[in-house]
Amino acid sequence: MEFNDDEIVALLNRLLEQLHQADGNNQGSIVLNVYSSGSLHVDHVDTQNFYGDACPKPTIKQEKGNEDTPTLPASLCTEQAMVMWEKAQAAGFVDDNYQPLISRTQAALLAFEMARCLGIKYKWKVFETLWNRRNMYRDYHDALEQYQSLQFRDILKNLFQ
């Protein structure tokens, strides 16, 4: 089926309007890829993290036979981040390998607060990779509905000031 340019634009506008109506609380942006015949494209590009010498060496201890322990990403091993990690360790929130010692909901609150202070845009991806977890945004939203979370959030704000 062939369409002229005006028809394509009209169809795209109608599709976008339907998408916006179907999901009024869209957490991301809607991306449409339009390809003309003979064009080349890449459907998916994964995020790449580069760990260079500019980053302080993390003190993650790997147990023998456990090479699955993730390394600390660059955004979480800056000078400011290392101060925050030390405070979180002193408070008993994370262990020496920067793994959480608290509940999933509290860990999500910790991740949110650290990411906010450090200016990390894709917080869930960074912390989910480090902590080998999935769907931390759900843990965070569950935490917001718990009474104890108010107190924990206050503790975190005081800790990271």
Side-chain angles (χ1 to χ4, degrees):
M1 181 177 261
E2 291 284 324
F3 294 101
N4 65 35
D5 291 341
D6 292 333
E7 291 172 326
I8 291 172
V9 169
L11 287 171
L12 288 174
N13 284 333
R14 211 166 70 212
L15 175 63
L16 279 173
E17 184 60 35
Q18 290 173 354
L19 287 171
H20 285 293
Q21 288 175 358
D23 186 18
N25 187 16
N26 191 339
Q27 297 296 319
S29 58
I30 297 172
V31 177
L32 293 177
N33 297 317
V34 179
Y35 306 107
S36 61
S37 62
S39 65
L40 299 174
H41 66 277
V42 176
D43 283 329
H44 181 71
V45 177
D46 287 323
T47 301
Q48 294 182 356
N49 295 314
F50 296 94
Y51 308 103
D53 291 336
C55 180
K57 299 294 183 205
T59 58
I60 293 181
K61 300 173 189 163
Q62 289 189 349
E63 298 174 14
K64 290 183 180 177
N66 186 8
E67 281 73 37
D68 293 337
T69 305
T71 58
L72 202 57
S75 59
L76 291 176
C77 67
T78 63
E79 191 174 319
Q80 182 184 4
M82 296 312 290
V83 169
M84 294 178 79
W85 282 121
E86 289 172 14
K87 289 179 179 181
Q89 285 173 339
F93 299 152
V94 294
D95 64 14
D96 291 340
N97 292 329
Y98 309 106
Q99 298 300 304
L101 299 171
I102 50 182
S103 69
R104 286 185 65 95
T105 54
Q106 288 177 327
L109 291 170
L110 174 64
F112 183 88
E113 191 63 26
M114 285 186 72
R116 185 188 66 77
C117 292
L118 296 170
I120 299 173
K121 185 175 181 180
Y122 300 105
K123 59 188 156 288
W124 304 131
K125 180 157 182 76
V126 170
F127 282 95
E128 284 174 350
T129 302
L130 176 64
W131 292 342
N132 195 25
R133 293 191 174 176
R134 297 181 66 187
N135 302 320
M136 282 187 69
Y137 71 95
R138 289 184 186 161
D139 296 335
Y140 176 75
H141 287 288
D142 289 344
L144 295 179
E145 296 176 5
Q146 297 175 353
Y147 176 75
Q148 68 176 355
S149 296
L150 292 174
Q151 296 168 339
F152 189 71
R153 288 171 69 188
D154 290 339
I155 292 170
L156 289 175
K157 286 181 183 177
N158 290 331
L159 183 69
F160 295 138
Q161 284 185 354

